[in-house]
Amino acid sequence: MAKPVTRTYSRYSRDAARLLGLMIRNGRIERELTIAELAERAGVSRGLVHRAEQGDMGCAIGAVFELAALVGVSLFETDQSVTAMHIANAEKTLSLLPRSVHPSRKEVKDDF
């Protein structure tokens, strides 16, 4: 099957990406960094920094997280011990769940 030309995203996802981009831009400006300086520090192109600041949904999440970290945008908890606790809880929960999910083969009889 061919890959769709454009991907649709929910309004919530688009708004979250836009907000994160604005927070990155704000942090960059507060630290008096140019786009080129931030791009160099993050090891990415100036275009990627610009797109991330615009809330482009096509940017690699790792690159956007690194940009946020470099300008001081807190994504989750700032305390590493709290983040480690959340990771441990999520891993414990996942260990109790099935490793994979298969579609139900049972046909529903809904004719009354």
Side-chain angles (χ1 to χ4, degrees):
M1 188 162 102
K3 184 177 178 183
V5 176
T6 58
R7 168 92 166 81
T8 59
Y9 295 98
S10 68
R11 181 167 197 79
Y12 179 81
S13 295
R14 290 190 317 265
D15 288 346
R18 179 73 179 130
L19 175 60
L20 181 56
L22 291 171
M23 291 169 67
I24 291 170
R25 182 163 195 246
N26 220 9
R28 177 180 61 80
I29 292 170
E30 285 177 357
R31 283 166 180 69
E32 299 178 356
L33 293 171
T34 65
I35 288 179
E37 290 170 334
L38 180 57
E40 185 178 332
R41 287 184 185 188
V44 297
S45 69
R46 291 186 319 245
L48 189 135
V49 174
H50 179 72
R51 289 190 345 260
E53 288 183 352
Q54 296 299 313
D56 184 346
M57 298 291 284
C59 296
I61 193 167
V64 176
F65 280 7
E66 184 63 21
L67 293 171
L70 288 171
V71 296
V73 173
S74 177
L75 298 171
F76 300 103
E77 299 289 336
T78 54
D79 184 6
Q80 286 291 356
S81 63
V82 174
T83 302
M85 181 187 68
H86 286 303
I87 290 170
N89 286 339
E91 287 174 342
K92 186 168 73 172
T93 300
L94 284 172
S95 71
L96 299 173
L97 296 173
R99 289 181 91 78
S100 61
V101 179
H102 302 285
S104 175
R105 294 181 186 201
K106 182 178 177 185
E107 188 161 329
V108 177
K109 296 182 181 184
D110 60 354
D111 51 329
F112 301 101

